């Protein structure tokens, strides 16, 4: 709960910063969970485990836990800002591994993308090309997705999204406070709807965080998917309402609001929409649990 509250507070002010902080916090949690050496003091970490079919990093043993990395890794947020990163890579026989990479070494090329949109552009997301880079294997093959923290971390991303939703709603609240219900009835109506959406997803975030804190060795796949989908729905609702509530001027003239409204639609694409809904349904069916009780 403490980590998610930090993520939400940062997301409320700056989603690009929240993206970088979330990757750093996730890396520290993974290192601790898999029994890796403590990170160097003052280090800044990224977590880069996206696996688009066009990019793949190959991992080969060198000696002990030392490995060699070759290939391309996409979607590396903060690539030129971090000092270290955890990234997924693949053995010759098709097993996924996790490696800790020190960015201060030769063989690492950062390819800045032609980021056409303004949304999340400040997260400095780039492509890495690795050639004979030395890293340290973390855990055993398959540990990244097998560990309980995989789903717990996935739910934590939703706290960043929720924070941005709260930040947008707060701009609407301040605008509503400057008028009265008779002169601004639609603004007040949108604010009331935003409060309902924020409150139900916040309640689910708190409930899920409490469950994880009480039993951290559990994976909580169902609960994590629910949280992500709930906050995504809240974000889509609030993004649809903010322009109708405020009109164009605040979106164009308020840097904080404009940036949140620009960044949030891009960041919530980490939710997989109908694919996640179908995954949640499969878990409900396979595990034969009655989730709908009060």
């Amino acid at each position: 709960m403490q980590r998610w509250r930090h993520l939400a507070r940062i997301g409320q002010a700056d989603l690009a910063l929240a993206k970088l902080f979330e990757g750093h916090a996730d890396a520290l949690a993974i290192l601790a969970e898999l029994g890796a050496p403590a990170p160097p003091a003052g280090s800044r970490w990224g977590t880069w485990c996206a696996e688009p079919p066009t990019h793949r990093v190959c991992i080969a043993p060198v000696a002990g836990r030392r490995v060699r990395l070759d290939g391309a890794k996409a979607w590396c947020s903060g690539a030129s800002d971090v000092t270290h990163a955890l990234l997924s890579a693949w053995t010759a026989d098709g097993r996924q591994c996790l490696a800790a990479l020190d960015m201060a070494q030769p063989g690492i090329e950062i390819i800045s993308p032609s980021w056409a949109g303004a949304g999340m552009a400040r997260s400095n997301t780039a492509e890495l090309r690795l050639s004979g880079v030395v890293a340290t294997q973390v855990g055993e093959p398959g540990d990244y997705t097998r560990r309980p923290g995989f789903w717990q971390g996935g739910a934590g991303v939703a706290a960043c999204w929720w924070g941005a939703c709260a930040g947008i709603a707060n701009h609407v609240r301040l605008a509503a406070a400057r008028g009265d219900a008779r002169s601004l009835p639609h603004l007040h109506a949108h604010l009331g709807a935003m409060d309902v959406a924020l409150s139900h997803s916040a309640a689910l975030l708190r409930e899920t965080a409490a469950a994880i804190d009480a039993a951290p060795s559990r994976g909580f796949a169902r609960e994590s998917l629910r949280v992500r989908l709930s906050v995504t729905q809240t974000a889509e609702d609030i993004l649809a309402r903010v322009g109708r509530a405020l009109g164009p001027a605040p979106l164009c003239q308020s840097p904080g609001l404009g940036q949140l409204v620009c960044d949030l639609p891009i960041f919530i694409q980490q939710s997989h929409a109908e694919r996640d809904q179908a995954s949640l349904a499969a878990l409900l069916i396979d595990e034969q649990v009655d989730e709908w009780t009060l």
Side-chain angles (χ1 to χ4, degrees), residues 26-58:
D26 198 33
L28 300 188
I30 294 168
L31 291 169
E33 187 174 16
L34 296 183
S43 55
R44 300 182 305 278
W45 288 73
T47 302
W48 303 329
C49 295
E51 292 288 353
T54 54
H55 295 72
R56 176 162 285 205
V57 174
C58 298

Side-chain angles (χ1 to χ4, degrees), residues 86-210:
L86 286 180
L87 69 156
S88 55
W90 296 85
T91 64
D93 57 358
R95 295 177 298 162
Q96 189 185 53
C97 294
L98 199 62
L101 174 65
D102 186 337
M103 295 290 289
Q105 60 175 302
I108 301 175
E109 184 181 5
I110 299 174
I111 309 297
S112 296
S114 54
W115 197 278
M120 296 301 290
R122 294 173 305 114
S123 66
N124 190 22
T125 299
E127 174 186 321
L128 288 192
R129 293 180 186 169
L130 308 175
S131 178
V133 175
V134 176
T136 304
Q137 183 174 326
V138 176
E140 300 302 322
D143 275 355
Y144 171 65
T145 55
R146 190 164 47 225
R147 65 195 171 83
F150 175 75
W151 283 108
Q152 298 169 13
V157 175
C160 300
W161 308 337
W162 187 92
C165 292
I168 293 168
N170 194 52
H171 282 273
V172 177
R173 182 185 64 81
L174 292 174
R178 290 192 288 268
D180 61 72
R182 288 174 299 175
S183 63
L184 301 169
H186 297 101
L187 171 57
H188 283 244
H190 285 301
L191 176 61
M194 288 180 176
D195 174 69
V196 172
L198 279 167
S199 297
H200 77 61
S201 53
L204 194 55
L205 276 162
R206 286 191 295 267
E207 178 183 300
T208 304

Side-chain angles (χ1 to χ4, degrees), residues 204-278:
L204 194 55
L205 276 162
R206 286 191 295 267
E207 178 183 300
T208 304
I212 292 172
D213 284 339
S217 61
R218 279 188 53 201
F220 293 99
R222 286 195 316 274
E223 294 83 353
S224 297
L225 282 167
R226 272 198 209 106
V227 163
R228 289 169 63 92
L229 289 164
S230 174
V231 179
T232 299
Q233 188 174 48
T234 294
E236 290 171 346
D237 184 37
I238 285 177
L239 286 167
R241 291 181 180 279
V242 61
R244 286 147 55 190
L246 298 178
L251 298 179
C252 300
Q253 296 171 0
S254 171
L257 174 61
Q259 195 65 59
L260 286 173
V261 171
C262 190
D263 287 340
L264 184 56
I266 304 302
F267 202 167
I268 61 172
Q269 297 309 309
Q270 280 189 231
S271 172
H272 303 301
E274 288 81 3
R275 193 171 77 187
D276 279 356
Q277 291 172 338

Side-chain angles (χ1 to χ4, degrees), residues 34-86:
L34 296 183
S43 55
R44 300 182 305 278
W45 288 73
T47 302
W48 303 329
C49 295
E51 292 288 353
T54 54
H55 295 72
R56 176 162 285 205
V57 174
C58 298
I59 186 170
V62 175
R65 306 295 291 180
R66 306 298 285 173
V67 293
R68 172 184 167 132
L69 303 177
D70 294 275
K73 174 60 72 174
W75 303 108
C76 301
S77 294
S80 60
D81 302 312
V82 301
T83 60
H84 297 74
L86 286 180

